[in-house]
């Protein structure tokens, strides 16, 4: 009878310890799997770009009327994603030449292209062998150019680039001119008017770029076709862009907390438990196991160890009795 009492007293704590250990192991498994951080969400990568071959903002004063007639036209003005290659532009103004249409621009080539994707945004324009006219000067071109190009390139995470080029000769109000880089060129024609030209105007910020090959400030008094005066601005070969947002770096997985590891009662592990190789995980799948298998196996081992200890203590108790 005494031996029976001793055996019962030893088995009950042993079973409790084993059950507690198994519960701890099973609970720790899902908690460890939950420590991996989620992938970073993909943000909006939208950039912007635009291009225009010609844009005018002119006020036309009529000789026999006290009114101004605006001449605001654009050729091949596009925004991404788009392109255009129209080579002629005409306009019609009431009170000018009896309301007949007149040619604002004629060119051999007049291209405008705007593109954008997740990595870059780009605007590009090209104008070849072009002549621009304004009201009141049907036979004399405001400006003639051989070739002008502009490009604005904005790449995600890089410094934007703005470029413009004027190639070949430039003629303003019938006078061939030499343009000065980084400044303006003044052209004065007695009895006709004045034109100020800005060459290769470019600007950039950390995310945007803008370029125009030529910008003209016009003040002309032709006194023909019922036109008294023309004032305003003309832009040739303009391009702009805004960079897309740089792709976000995916968040790195959060390391597992070592404090959650289950240790034997009253003892500390000498070395951290190494993660099992990927190959061993694939073997579990082949044999029908799943992600909980390692934790169940660990609980079984604890049960075996605890049971063995209980049996040994019981035998010692019997021998003493």
């Amino acid at each position: 009878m005494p031996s029976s009492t001793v055996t019962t007293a030893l088995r009950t704590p042993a079973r409790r310890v084993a059950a507690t250990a198994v519960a701890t192991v099973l609970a720790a498994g899902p908690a460890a799997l939950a420590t991996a951080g989620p992938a970073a969400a993909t943000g909006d990568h939208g950039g912007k770009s635009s291009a225009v071959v010609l844009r005018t903002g002119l006020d036309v004063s009529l000789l026999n009327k006290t009114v101004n007639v605006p001449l605001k036209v654009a050729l091949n003005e596009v925004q991404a994603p788009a392109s255009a290659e129209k080579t002629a532009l005409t306009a019609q103004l009431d009170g000018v030449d009896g309301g007949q249409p007149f040619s604002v621009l004629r060119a051999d080539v007049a291209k405008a292209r705007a593109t954008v994707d997740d990595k870059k945004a780009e605007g590009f324009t090209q104008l070849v062998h072009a002549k621009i006219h304004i009201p009141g000067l049907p036979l004399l071109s405001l400006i003639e150019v051989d070739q002008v190009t502009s490009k604005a390139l904005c790449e995600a995470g890089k410094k934007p680039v703005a470029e413009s080029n004027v190639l070949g000769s430039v003629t303003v109000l019938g006078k061939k001119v030499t343009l000065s880089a980084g400044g303006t060129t003044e052209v004065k024609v007695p009895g006709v008017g004045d034109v100020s030209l800005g060459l290769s105007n470019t600007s950039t910020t950390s995310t945007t770029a803008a370029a125009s090959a030529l910008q003209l400030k016009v003040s002309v008094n032709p006194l023909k076709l019922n036109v008294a005066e023309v004032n305003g601005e003309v832009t040739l070969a303009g391009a702009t862009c805004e960079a897309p947002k740089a792709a976000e770096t995916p968040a790195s997985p959060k390391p597992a907390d070592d404090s959650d590891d289950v240790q034997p009662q009253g003892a500390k592990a000498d070395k951290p438990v190494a993660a099992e190789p990927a190959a061993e995980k694939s073997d579990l799948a082949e044999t029908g196991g799943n992600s909980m298998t390692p934790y169940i196996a660990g609980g079984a081992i604890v049960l075996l160890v605890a049971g063995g200890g209980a049996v040994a203590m019981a035998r010692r108790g019997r021998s003493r009795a």
Side-chain angles (χ1 to χ4, degrees):
M1 293 298 294
S3 61
S4 176
T5 302
V6 173
T7 301
T8 302
L10 290 174
R11 284 179 180 176
T12 300
R15 288 176 181 174
R16 290 179 181 174
V17 170
T20 303
V22 172
T24 304
V25 171
L26 295 178
L33 293 176
T35 57
T42 302
D44 180 13
H45 296 291
K48 298 178 182 178
S49 65
S50 67
V52 61
V53 167
L54 169 72
R55 182 185 291 114
T56 67
L58 300 171
D59 288 325
V60 181
S61 298
L62 302 185
L63 184 61
N64 59 352
K65 296 180 181 180
T66 58
V67 295
N68 291 334
V69 181
L71 177 59
K72 300 182 184 299
V73 295
L75 177 65
N76 297 353
E77 185 171 19
V78 295
Q79 295 181 347
S83 61
E85 294 189 17
K86 188 177 179 181
T87 58
L89 174 64
T90 61
Q92 181 176 330
L93 293 177
D94 293 336
V96 177
D97 196 16
Q100 297 297 316
F102 64 94
S103 173
V104 179
L105 178 142
R106 290 189 178 276
D108 291 347
V109 176
K111 293 182 180 181
R113 183 176 69 247
T115 59
V116 64
D117 55 33
D118 288 347
K119 296 181 179 180
K120 66 179 181 180
E122 181 178 5
F124 173 79
T125 58
Q126 182 184 30
L127 192 60
V128 178
H129 297 151
K131 294 181 180 181
I132 291 92
H133 290 270
I134 59 175
L137 296 175
L139 302 179
L140 183 63
S141 300
L142 173 66
I143 185 172
E144 299 180 20
V145 295
D146 280 348
Q147 182 174 349
V148 293
T149 61
S150 289
K151 181 175 73 172
L153 176 61
C154 300
E155 297 184 77
K158 296 184 179 180
K159 183 178 180 180
V161 177
E163 298 176 350
S164 62
N165 293 288
V166 179
L167 307 175
S169 62
V170 176
T171 302
V172 178
L173 298 177
K175 295 178 62 175
K176 186 171 290 188
V177 298
T178 301
L179 301 176
S180 59
T184 59
T185 301
E186 302 289 341
V187 179
K188 299 180 182 293
V189 178
V192 179
D194 304 334
V195 176
S196 175
L197 289 86
L199 172 65
S200 301
N201 294 312
T202 61
S203 63
T204 60
T205 67
S206 59
T207 57
T208 64
S212 60
L214 284 170
Q215 285 188 323
L216 290 74
K217 290 184 177 180
V218 180
S219 179
V220 177
N221 50 345
L223 298 178
K224 295 180 181 180
L225 299 180
N226 197 37
V227 175
E229 192 173 355
V230 180
N231 292 284
E233 294 186 356
V234 175
T235 300
L236 288 179
T240 68
C241 66
E242 181 178 345
K245 296 179 182 178
E248 297 180 6
T249 304
S252 58
K254 181 181 177 181
D257 190 353
D258 292 342
S259 62
D260 293 337
D261 294 341
V262 178
Q263 304 291 346
Q265 289 185 343
K268 294 184 179 179
D270 294 335
K271 295 182 180 180
V273 179
E276 292 185 3
E280 293 183 8
K281 293 182 181 179
S282 62
D283 292 343
L284 290 175
E286 294 175 0
T287 56
N290 55 33
S291 61
M292 296 301 297
T293 301
Y295 305 109
I296 296 174
I301 293 173
V302 172
L303 283 173
L304 289 175
V305 173
V311 171
M313 293 179 67
R315 289 179 178 176
R316 291 179 181 176
R318 289 177 183 177
S319 61
R320 293 177 180 177

